[in-house]
Amino acid sequence: MEQVERIDTVKQYNDWIGVDTLHPLVSVINFNEIPTVQHFRRYMGIYAVFMKNIKCGDIMYGCQPYDYEDGTLVFVSPGQVYGIDSKGKVTKPSGYALVFHPDLIAGTHLGKMIKDYSFFSYEVNEALHLSKKERETIADCFEKIAAEIDQNIDKHSKTLIVSNIELFLNYCMRFYDRQFITRGNVNKDILMRFEALLQDYFKSGKTQTLGLPSVAYCADMLHLSANYFGDLIKKETGHTALDFIQSRLIEEAKVKIFEVNMSFGEIAYQLGFKYQQHFTRLFKQKTGVTPNEYRSLN
C-alpha cells in the first residue's frame, strides 16, 4: 500500500513545495513560480485551499480520483488525505495555494466560526467552480494575504492576516451560493432522488431494520457529503434536510394513524422509533397535537 506522508506544519508544506517560510503559521504559494510538480499524497494536519488554473493531474481525495477542472477551488481541513496524481509525468502547475495552521485562528472570530464554512467538509467532486470574474476576485484575495505575510511581523500582523483570510472565505461562501443557484437543474434532480429515496425507505421496511432515516444515510446513498447535501437541500427548499426527513416521516405517521387497529406503539416501531414517547413528542412538535388527538379529530 502506498505510504501517505504527513504535513503537520506550514513549514513542512513549504519545504516540500520548495518555497521560503515567511510566517510559521500561514503561507500563500503562487504555483506560477514553482517549476514542476509530481505525484504526491499527504495527510494534511493544516487547512489548505487550492486553486489551479490549468489541468495538472487527477486529484486524489481519500482514495477517490477527481478530474480537476480549470478555475476550481478545493478546500482541505486538518485530518484529510489529499494529493495529485500526475500519472508519472512532471507538470507545470498554475494557480495558488493558501495553507494555514489551526493555531493561526485559535481565539479569533474566524477560529470560532470556521466550522460554519461547511465547504471544508465537502468532497472534492463538490468543489467550487469559478467564473472568470470570480477567479479574478479570488486571485486578488490570495495576493492581499500574501502581501500582508510579506510584511515584517508586528502586533497587527495576525489580525490583518486572519481578517483577510476570513474575507476570502466569505467570498467563497458567496460563490458557493451562486453555484447552488446556477446548478438548479442538478439540484432539482437530487431533490427528486431524495424524495424517492425516502419513499422507498418507508415502503421497504428499512425503518424496522435501520431505524429512522438520517441525513448522513441519505447523503451517502446520493453519493454526496453530508455537509454539501445539507447545504444543497437548505438552498433548494428553505428547510434543513432533517426537517425534510421529519416532514416526510409525519406524513407516513398520519397515514398509519388512520388505521385504527394499530396501536401508537406499533406505529412508532414501524416508523423506526425506539420509544413511543419520542414519536409522540415529534408528532406534537410538528402538528401541534398528539397522535391520539389527531386520530380523534379525524
Side-chain angles (χ1 to χ4, degrees), residues 34-259:
I34 306 301
T36 57
V37 171
Q38 282 185 295
H39 172 79
F40 71 90
R41 273 169 64 77
R42 299 287 187 273
Y43 169 92
M44 302 294 284
I46 57 178
Y47 288 97
V49 184
F50 299 97
M51 182 176 82
K52 296 291 179 64
N53 292 328
I54 60 173
K55 183 175 173 63
C56 61
D58 290 344
I59 282 185
M60 298 297 295
Y61 184 93
C63 297
Q64 299 298 316
Y66 171 62
D67 186 12
Y68 206 165
E69 297 180 7
D70 296 358
T72 304
L73 274 178
V74 172
F75 301 82
V76 180
S77 60
Q80 296 175 342
V81 175
Y82 166 83
I84 289 180
D85 183 3
S86 57
K87 296 181 171 60
K89 297 178 181 178
V90 175
T91 59
K92 176 68 178 74
S94 174
Y96 293 90
L98 165 67
V99 294
F100 60 96
H101 196 280
D103 287 352
L104 177 73
I105 61 174
T108 68
H109 179 263
L110 178 57
K112 296 172 184 176
M113 305 299 293
I114 192 71
K115 296 299 183 185
D116 291 346
Y117 298 100
S118 51
F119 43 72
F120 274 109
S121 297
Y122 290 175
E123 299 290 349
V124 171
N125 61 350
E126 300 158 349
L128 177 56
H129 304 281
L130 299 169
S131 68
K132 182 178 179 181
K133 189 174 182 180
E134 289 168 349
R135 287 201 298 271
E136 292 171 356
T137 299
I138 293 300
D140 183 59
C141 287
F142 279 121
E143 293 290 351
K144 286 179 178 175
I145 298 168
E148 190 54 48
I149 294 171
D150 200 39
Q151 300 286 331
N152 292 326
I153 297 177
D154 58 31
K155 65 179 182 180
H156 301 288
S157 297
K158 178 176 177 178
T159 299
L160 290 170
I161 291 170
V162 172
S163 294
N164 275 286
I165 292 175
E166 188 166 5
L167 176 63
F168 163 72
L169 295 176
N170 286 336
Y171 272 118
C172 294
M173 186 76 80
R174 167 188 275 182
F175 298 154
Y176 253 119
D177 284 348
R178 183 273 309 157
Q179 181 164 297
F180 281 122
I181 294 170
T182 56
R183 290 168 59 87
N185 289 336
V186 175
N187 296 348
K188 284 183 172 58
D189 177 64
I190 291 171
L191 186 58
M192 290 173 62
R193 287 163 54 205
F194 181 28
E195 291 176 333
L197 175 67
L198 289 176
Q199 185 175 359
D200 174 73
Y201 195 94
F202 290 118
K203 285 192 173 181
S204 63
K206 287 188 175 71
T207 49
Q208 296 173 50
T209 55
L210 300 178
L212 295 170
S214 67
V215 174
Y217 171 86
C218 294
D220 185 57
M221 294 301 292
L222 295 170
H223 308 293
L224 298 169
S225 67
N227 275 21
Y228 187 89
F229 173 65
D231 289 346
L232 185 153
I233 296 300
K234 184 68 181 292
K235 293 292 188 304
E236 194 66 28
T237 68
H239 300 283
T240 68
L242 180 60
D243 284 337
F244 194 96
I245 291 171
Q246 289 179 342
S247 295
R248 188 71 184 81
L249 187 66
I250 295 303
E251 289 176 20
E252 289 291 319
K254 288 178 177 178
V255 172
K256 292 182 182 299
I257 287 172
F258 283 124
E259 299 177 20

